[in-house]
Amino acid sequence: MNNEHRPYTLIAELTYRCPLHCPYCSNPLDFAEHGNEIDADTWLRVFHEAEELGVVQLNLTGGEPLLRDDLELLVEGARKLDLYTNLITSGIPLTSQRLSRLRALGLDSVQISIQSTRRSVADRIAGAPSFNRKLDAMRWATSLEIPLTVNVVLHRENISEIEELIALAECVSADRLELANTQYLGWALKNRAALLPTREQIERARTVAAEAKARLRGSMEVLFVTPDYYTDHPKSCMEGWGRRFIVVNPEGLALPCHLAHTIPGLRFEHVTQRRLSDIWHHSAGFNRFRGNEWLPDPCRTCERRVLDFGGCRCQAFHLSGDAGMPDPACSLAPGHDVIESARTQADRTAGIPVLFEYRTGRGRSSR
């Protein structure tokens, strides 16, 4: 096997269903039109095939994975394969009894999101009452000694709470705090005008996070993820297309990243029709943007081509219309003006409330 293209993590999107309606949801805009979810037997076979490929970590996510009645069966199957299994959840609907059962079956860690330290703001961002239940879920995790990551998707509605968010994570004894600025794709791109912070807000939050990281070293890991819109160079999306991650969506489509199937012209295959190893090695979709040989100018001769691989292919498509172009987040890329325009708009509308568009159970948005 080519170790350059060896997968380490399987991201199992078990369902698109979710009780929340976050305006930065990573579900596709037309998620309600997608097909049936693959069953537990298929997932267990996928876990086995992933482990044979070299995968060592399994992220159970969604949507809301707790809405799968067979979640316990999946966790138990992952434990038998010795996969490090992480549950990524809103914490709703969770009970202490179910979390205890999942822990006993082999769950290794849990990541729970929260939208704000203020209940009214958190519930408004989530589009549903959830704040108190999330705090309960965090406390259950620490009482069961399950390693806990508190995840906060940062945006202009909550980034000013950075000190309070850090304090909340300390209060619930989190092992890790992930302060992840919004990635502007899917619903987040639709809501970008309401979500994108100003540069001043980003810089202040980064400074506070860096101070907390130093202060809490050894007791809680603090990670601050800067949005692509405020960097000179894009991040290496998923550590490079088809290099380290496999995403399998609720229908069983194997993908190099969550939204790769939204790029027209790329062909991806279902795990119900082909073994995961065949898809990983031979799928046209996985191979299309692997490595850096495909890169256009100016990326082709850039010294960063082996670091960021041209940035995010989905972002390149959704901002420029061409997934084969350099990521417009790069300051050297053609089309970077769309990023500059978004930043200018963020400055111009700072302090002005902007309504969210929420996903609904029917897949349509509402004000």
Side-chain angles (χ1 to χ4, degrees), residues 278-301:
D278 291 338
I279 295 174
W280 176 260
H281 290 297
H282 306 299
S283 165
F286 271 87
N287 283 310
R288 174 62 182 88
F289 298 113
R290 268 192 173 133
N292 54 51
E293 295 300 318
W294 62 272
L295 287 170
D297 291 327
C299 301
R300 187 185 302 275
T301 56

Tab-separated table of all heavy atoms in Angstrom, residues 278-301:
chain	number	residue	atom	x	y	z
A	278	ASP	N	-11.247	-1.142	-2.700
A	278	ASP	CA	-11.274	-0.865	-4.138
A	278	ASP	C	-11.621	0.592	-4.399
A	278	ASP	O	-11.028	1.240	-5.274
A	278	ASP	CB	-12.302	-1.772	-4.830
A	278	ASP	CG	-11.888	-3.228	-4.844
A	278	ASP	OD1	-10.681	-3.491	-4.711
A	278	ASP	OD2	-12.763	-4.100	-4.983
A	279	ILE	N	-12.583	1.089	-3.640
A	279	ILE	CA	-12.965	2.496	-3.800
A	279	ILE	C	-11.786	3.401	-3.457
A	279	ILE	O	-11.455	4.333	-4.201
A	279	ILE	CB	-14.176	2.825	-2.908
A	279	ILE	CG1	-15.415	2.029	-3.359
A	279	ILE	CG2	-14.468	4.321	-2.927
A	279	ILE	CD1	-16.617	2.192	-2.438
A	280	TRP	N	-11.135	3.124	-2.326
A	280	TRP	CA	-10.020	3.961	-1.874
A	280	TRP	C	-8.894	4.016	-2.899
A	280	TRP	O	-8.366	5.087	-3.209
A	280	TRP	CB	-9.496	3.445	-0.541
A	280	TRP	CG	-8.282	4.177	-0.048
A	280	TRP	CD1	-6.976	3.770	-0.141
A	280	TRP	CD2	-8.235	5.462	0.579
A	280	TRP	NE1	-6.135	4.705	0.404
A	280	TRP	CE2	-6.882	5.758	0.854
A	280	TRP	CE3	-9.216	6.377	0.952
A	280	TRP	CZ2	-6.501	6.936	1.471
A	280	TRP	CZ3	-8.821	7.563	1.575
A	280	TRP	CH2	-7.481	7.826	1.821
A	281	HIS	N	-8.534	2.876	-3.445
A	281	HIS	CA	-7.388	2.822	-4.351
A	281	HIS	C	-7.734	3.198	-5.787
A	281	HIS	O	-6.891	3.793	-6.493
A	281	HIS	CB	-6.772	1.427	-4.340
A	281	HIS	CG	-6.074	1.083	-3.059
A	281	HIS	ND1	-4.969	1.764	-2.616
A	281	HIS	CD2	-6.329	0.122	-2.130
A	281	HIS	CE1	-4.563	1.250	-1.467
A	281	HIS	NE2	-5.366	0.258	-1.156
A	282	HIS	N	-8.946	2.876	-6.252
A	282	HIS	CA	-9.210	2.945	-7.684
A	282	HIS	C	-10.332	3.890	-8.091
A	282	HIS	O	-10.518	4.110	-9.292
A	282	HIS	CB	-9.531	1.539	-8.212
A	282	HIS	CG	-8.476	0.525	-7.886
A	282	HIS	ND1	-7.169	0.642	-8.336
A	282	HIS	CD2	-8.526	-0.611	-7.145
A	282	HIS	CE1	-6.464	-0.385	-7.891
A	282	HIS	NE2	-7.256	-1.154	-7.166
A	283	SER	N	-11.069	4.428	-7.137
A	283	SER	CA	-12.168	5.319	-7.499
A	283	SER	C	-11.660	6.570	-8.213
A	283	SER	O	-10.707	7.217	-7.774
A	283	SER	CB	-12.926	5.740	-6.231
A	283	SER	OG	-13.762	6.845	-6.489
A	284	ALA	N	-12.318	6.906	-9.310
A	284	ALA	CA	-11.942	8.111	-10.059
A	284	ALA	C	-12.121	9.357	-9.195
A	284	ALA	O	-11.327	10.302	-9.277
A	284	ALA	CB	-12.789	8.218	-11.322
A	285	GLY	N	-13.155	9.345	-8.358
A	285	GLY	CA	-13.393	10.501	-7.506
A	285	GLY	C	-12.292	10.705	-6.488
A	285	GLY	O	-11.845	11.827	-6.252
A	286	PHE	N	-11.820	9.613	-5.865
A	286	PHE	CA	-10.740	9.725	-4.877
A	286	PHE	C	-9.423	10.109	-5.541
A	286	PHE	O	-8.599	10.807	-4.941
A	286	PHE	CB	-10.579	8.404	-4.120
A	286	PHE	CG	-11.435	8.292	-2.896
A	286	PHE	CD1	-12.732	7.825	-2.983
A	286	PHE	CD2	-10.962	8.672	-1.656
A	286	PHE	CE1	-13.537	7.725	-1.854
A	286	PHE	CE2	-11.750	8.592	-0.516
A	286	PHE	CZ	-13.057	8.110	-0.625
A	287	ASN	N	-9.196	9.666	-6.750
A	287	ASN	CA	-7.911	9.915	-7.410
A	287	ASN	C	-7.843	11.261	-8.130
A	287	ASN	O	-6.750	11.711	-8.483
A	287	ASN	CB	-7.605	8.792	-8.407
A	287	ASN	CG	-7.111	7.537	-7.712
A	287	ASN	OD1	-6.203	7.591	-6.895
A	287	ASN	ND2	-7.721	6.397	-8.023
A	288	ARG	N	-8.995	11.896	-8.327
A	288	ARG	CA	-9.023	13.107	-9.152
A	288	ARG	C	-8.100	14.208	-8.629
A	288	ARG	O	-7.385	14.857	-9.400
A	288	ARG	CB	-10.465	13.630	-9.249
A	288	ARG	CG	-10.600	14.963	-9.967
A	288	ARG	CD	-10.140	14.867	-11.419
A	288	ARG	NE	-10.235	16.148	-12.091
A	288	ARG	CZ	-9.284	17.076	-12.106
A	288	ARG	NH1	-8.146	16.863	-11.434
A	288	ARG	NH2	-9.452	18.209	-12.748
A	289	PHE	N	-8.087	14.442	-7.321
A	289	PHE	CA	-7.286	15.538	-6.769
A	289	PHE	C	-6.255	15.047	-5.762
A	289	PHE	O	-5.834	15.796	-4.875
A	289	PHE	CB	-8.204	16.584	-6.114
A	289	PHE	CG	-9.160	17.243	-7.067
A	289	PHE	CD1	-10.519	17.030	-6.965
A	289	PHE	CD2	-8.692	18.062	-8.083
A	289	PHE	CE1	-11.407	17.630	-7.837
A	289	PHE	CE2	-9.565	18.676	-8.973
A	289	PHE	CZ	-10.931	18.460	-8.847
A	290	ARG	N	-5.828	13.805	-5.890
A	290	ARG	CA	-4.782	13.293	-5.005
A	290	ARG	C	-3.422	13.893	-5.356
A	290	ARG	O	-3.118	14.147	-6.513
A	290	ARG	CB	-4.704	11.775	-5.126
A	290	ARG	CG	-5.574	11.056	-4.112
A	290	ARG	CD	-5.267	9.585	-4.054
A	290	ARG	NE	-5.993	8.963	-2.961
A	290	ARG	CZ	-6.686	7.840	-3.052
A	290	ARG	NH1	-6.742	7.188	-4.213
A	290	ARG	NH2	-7.297	7.350	-1.996
A	291	GLY	N	-2.595	14.080	-4.311
A	291	GLY	CA	-1.238	14.567	-4.560
A	291	GLY	C	-1.238	15.998	-5.037
A	291	GLY	O	-2.116	16.799	-4.718
A	292	ASN	N	-0.250	16.351	-5.867
A	292	ASN	CA	-0.166	17.725	-6.365
A	292	ASN	C	0.123	17.823	-7.856
A	292	ASN	O	0.306	18.913	-8.379
A	292	ASN	CB	0.891	18.503	-5.566
A	292	ASN	CG	2.235	17.810	-5.558
A	292	ASN	OD1	2.765	17.436	-6.608
A	292	ASN	ND2	2.802	17.622	-4.371
A	293	GLU	N	0.148	16.682	-8.545
A	293	GLU	CA	0.446	16.708	-9.977
A	293	GLU	C	-0.642	17.408	-10.787
A	293	GLU	O	-0.384	17.945	-11.863
A	293	GLU	CB	0.647	15.286	-10.499
A	293	GLU	CG	1.859	14.564	-9.916
A	293	GLU	CD	3.157	15.298	-10.211
A	293	GLU	OE1	3.323	15.776	-11.355
A	293	GLU	OE2	3.991	15.421	-9.295
A	294	TRP	N	-1.864	17.385	-10.290
A	294	TRP	CA	-2.994	17.962	-11.015
A	294	TRP	C	-3.068	19.481	-10.881
A	294	TRP	O	-3.833	20.140	-11.599
A	294	TRP	CB	-4.305	17.380	-10.464
A	294	TRP	CG	-4.503	17.720	-9.014
A	294	TRP	CD1	-4.052	17.024	-7.937
A	294	TRP	CD2	-5.164	18.870	-8.496
A	294	TRP	NE1	-4.381	17.665	-6.770
A	294	TRP	CE2	-5.075	18.798	-7.081
A	294	TRP	CE3	-5.827	19.960	-9.075
A	294	TRP	CZ2	-5.613	19.766	-6.250
A	294	TRP	CZ3	-6.369	20.927	-8.241
A	294	TRP	CH2	-6.254	20.824	-6.850
A	295	LEU	N	-2.282	20.066	-9.969
A	295	LEU	CA	-2.441	21.470	-9.614
A	295	LEU	C	-2.222	22.416	-10.796
A	295	LEU	O	-1.293	22.239	-11.591
A	295	LEU	CB	-1.455	21.843	-8.500
A	295	LEU	CG	-1.777	21.296	-7.103
A	295	LEU	CD1	-0.605	21.545	-6.163
A	295	LEU	CD2	-3.044	21.936	-6.555
A	296	PRO	N	-3.054	23.442	-10.915
A	296	PRO	CA	-2.860	24.468	-11.946
A	296	PRO	C	-1.908	25.547	-11.446
A	296	PRO	O	-1.521	25.563	-10.274
A	296	PRO	CB	-4.279	25.037	-12.110
A	296	PRO	CG	-4.854	24.944	-10.718
A	296	PRO	CD	-4.278	23.677	-10.119
A	297	ASP	N	-1.533	26.465	-12.308
A	297	ASP	CA	-0.792	27.649	-11.883
A	297	ASP	C	-1.742	28.560	-11.102
A	297	ASP	O	-2.939	28.605	-11.393
A	297	ASP	CB	-0.237	28.394	-13.094
A	297	ASP	CG	0.866	27.606	-13.792
A	297	ASP	OD1	1.601	26.888	-13.089
A	297	ASP	OD2	0.952	27.680	-15.025
A	298	PRO	N	-1.265	29.294	-10.092
A	298	PRO	CA	0.117	29.394	-9.629
A	298	PRO	C	0.516	28.313	-8.618
A	298	PRO	O	1.648	28.305	-8.140
A	298	PRO	CB	0.140	30.767	-8.963
A	298	PRO	CG	-1.246	30.913	-8.403
A	298	PRO	CD	-2.157	30.258	-9.391
A	299	CYS	N	-0.397	27.389	-8.289
A	299	CYS	CA	-0.086	26.366	-7.282
A	299	CYS	C	1.019	25.406	-7.748
A	299	CYS	O	1.777	24.880	-6.936
A	299	CYS	CB	-1.337	25.556	-6.950
A	299	CYS	SG	-2.711	26.519	-6.322
A	300	ARG	N	1.075	25.164	-9.057
A	300	ARG	CA	1.966	24.134	-9.591
A	300	ARG	C	3.416	24.339	-9.187
A	300	ARG	O	4.163	23.381	-8.943
A	300	ARG	CB	1.857	24.102	-11.113
A	300	ARG	CG	2.616	22.961	-11.775
A	300	ARG	CD	2.549	23.103	-13.288
A	300	ARG	NE	1.170	23.130	-13.754
A	300	ARG	CZ	0.450	22.038	-14.002
A	300	ARG	NH1	0.978	20.850	-13.828
A	300	ARG	NH2	-0.791	22.143	-14.432
A	301	THR	N	3.842	25.599	-9.086
A	301	THR	CA	5.233	25.888	-8.746
A	301	THR	C	5.390	26.493	-7.344
A	301	THR	O	6.492	26.878	-6.968
A	301	THR	CB	5.835	26.860	-9.775
A	301	THR	OG1	5.024	28.049	-9.843
A	301	THR	CG2	5.897	26.225	-11.162
